[in-house]
Amino acid sequence: TAFVPALVVSGFPTDKFVFEGFLPHKKGRQTRLKLLAQEERTVVLYESPHRLLKCLEQINEFMGPDRQVCVCREISKFYEEHQRGTASALFKHFTDKPPKGEIVIVIEGLTK
């Protein structure tokens, strides 16, 4: 269960969160992201390395440029990595350094 250590290391609230698993690949993906954009709890997703950039781009589009995100990869393995920042900043990071391995995305909940 890689989402638990990812949630903890993200620094986002852990008292209330929603675990979505993998988002739909095509049908329903944008609809789901629009719903998650309104979520006040911390959101935890799984994503594949080849869809990470698309996911970060969509988080930026549907949740806004200031929403904080933590991308964790290869949890409990030698090349474990945690990157925090906005979806657009992380998009640039992973464009320059293509990701490999298992990925967990943790998204800060909507603040009112």
Side-chain angles (χ1 to χ4, degrees), residues 11-80:
F12 301 137
T14 58
D15 58 336
K16 294 181 182 178
F17 65 92
V18 58
F19 173 66
E20 284 290 310
F22 286 95
L23 292 173
H25 296 275
K26 295 179 183 176
K27 187 174 181 174
R29 185 179 179 93
Q30 290 183 3
T31 303
R32 194 75 201 139
L33 280 165
K34 287 176 185 177
L35 288 172
L36 292 173
Q38 302 306 312
E39 182 62 63
E40 294 180 11
R41 298 174 290 179
T42 302
V43 177
V44 183
L45 309 171
Y46 285 158
E47 194 54 272
S48 67
H50 65 277
R51 278 194 302 275
L52 177 62
L53 292 177
K54 176 182 179 180
C55 188
L56 291 171
E57 195 171 47
Q58 290 176 322
I59 291 169
N60 187 52
E61 178 183 350
F62 298 119
M63 299 184 183
D66 296 328
R67 188 72 66 100
Q68 292 294 306
V69 178
C70 180
V71 175
C72 303
R73 62 174 210 88
E74 293 296 282
I75 292 175
S76 79
K77 297 180 182 161
F78 184 75
Y79 293 104
E80 182 172 343

